[in-house]
Amino acid sequence: MHRPVLLVVAHGSRDPRHAATVRALVRRVRSLRPGLRVETGFLDFDTPTVSGVLERLAAEGVRDVVAQPLLLTRAFHAKTDIPAVLREAPAALRIRQAAVLGPSPLLVSALERRLYEAGLDPAEKSSTGVVLASAGSSDPEAIAVIADIAREWRRTGWCAVRPAFASASLPRTEDAVRALRDVDGVRRVAVAPYVLAPGFLPDGIARGAAGADVLADVLGPAPEVARLLVRRYDEAYAPDTCPVAPLARTPALA
């Protein structure tokens, strides 16, 4: 029996770096799982669109698809936008919506990888404060998840970890940098963008990191992110997971 096609669903951006980063991540996923068909669709700005990919797959005779949101938290896009697009897919397709990527220890490992690649010495971990800088959301569930990640990450040996948001929520990155220095008394401050690809909001994070000592790159095609994508695909296609009926498609449970 053929394995379902993995459709990576990205948000899209006017910034060409976004699509380039998504495609680099997809290439890494393909290298981890040779023989698995992996497609990419964008919700906005970029092509191919999610709906266009689904129509093409149905026309080719594909019947099973795992739609993987390229998202770090369960907020509006995961709860509303993506399910709405999937419900409009050709009726011949059986679609499972996989869980969002975060939270996951693999993402924390990717964050640390990016910090060390940016020049932070692992030996400086215990004397460094980190800003966990996410894109931001108006969804309380998503905000709570970021706070939880920061709290748990602090327990792995960092001097302090504070969450920050580029939009919709506070504090901003620059505020968290100041708080680490002025409130927590941290001398060395690093900013770790908890975002997958470059764009308008990550650029805002970078501007807010002007007062930090280290600014990591976005997660992008980090090996840990690619491994997590494959894991979420496998979880969505577990033998005991029922296909989603074409007229009643709902996200698979995380």
Side-chain angles (χ1 to χ4, degrees), residues 60-143:
E60 292 176 10
V62 171
R63 290 297 172 260
D64 292 290
V65 176
V66 170
Q68 173 63 63
L70 201 57
L71 300 169
L72 298 176
T73 58
R74 257 180 56 79
F76 181 79
H77 294 303
K79 295 176 180 179
T80 303
D81 277 359
I82 293 176
V85 173
L86 299 183
R87 281 194 296 269
E88 297 300 318
L93 292 175
R94 294 183 293 264
I95 303 175
R96 296 174 176 88
Q97 181 177 330
V100 298
L101 297 178
S104 168
L106 283 170
L107 291 174
V108 174
S109 295
L111 287 167
E112 296 200 356
R113 170 191 292 275
R114 292 301 190 225
L115 285 169
Y116 299 145
E117 288 173 347
L120 186 68
D121 188 336
E124 299 172 336
K125 183 173 182 176
S126 62
S127 59
T128 301
V130 180
V131 176
L132 178 68
S134 75
S137 172
S138 58
D139 189 307
E141 178 186 347
I143 298 303

Side-chain angles (χ1 to χ4, degrees), residues 21-22 43 46 68-69 76 110 134 141 149 151 190 195-196 210 244 254:
T21 301
V22 170
L43 291 173
D46 292 301
Q68 173 63 63
F76 181 79
S134 75
E141 178 186 347
I149 294 171
R151 184 165 49 251
V195 292
L196 287 165
V244 179

Side-chain angles (χ1 to χ4, degrees), residues 103-200:
S104 168
L106 283 170
L107 291 174
V108 174
S109 295
L111 287 167
E112 296 200 356
R113 170 191 292 275
R114 292 301 190 225
L115 285 169
Y116 299 145
E117 288 173 347
L120 186 68
D121 188 336
E124 299 172 336
K125 183 173 182 176
S126 62
S127 59
T128 301
V130 180
V131 176
L132 178 68
S134 75
S137 172
S138 58
D139 189 307
E141 178 186 347
I143 298 303
V145 166
I146 299 301
D148 287 344
I149 294 171
R151 184 165 49 251
E152 292 301 317
W153 199 17
R154 160 71 180 81
R155 294 172 181 168
T156 67
W158 297 98
C159 179
V161 179
R162 284 182 174 262
F165 307 93
S167 69
S169 305
L170 296 174
R172 295 287 184 257
T173 302
E174 53 268 33
D175 300 325
V177 169
R178 276 195 300 270
L180 283 171
R181 294 199 191 280
D182 299 342
V183 178
D184 299 320
V186 175
R187 290 187 177 182
R188 185 182 302 105
V189 174
V191 174
Y194 190 61
V195 292
L196 287 165
F200 177 76

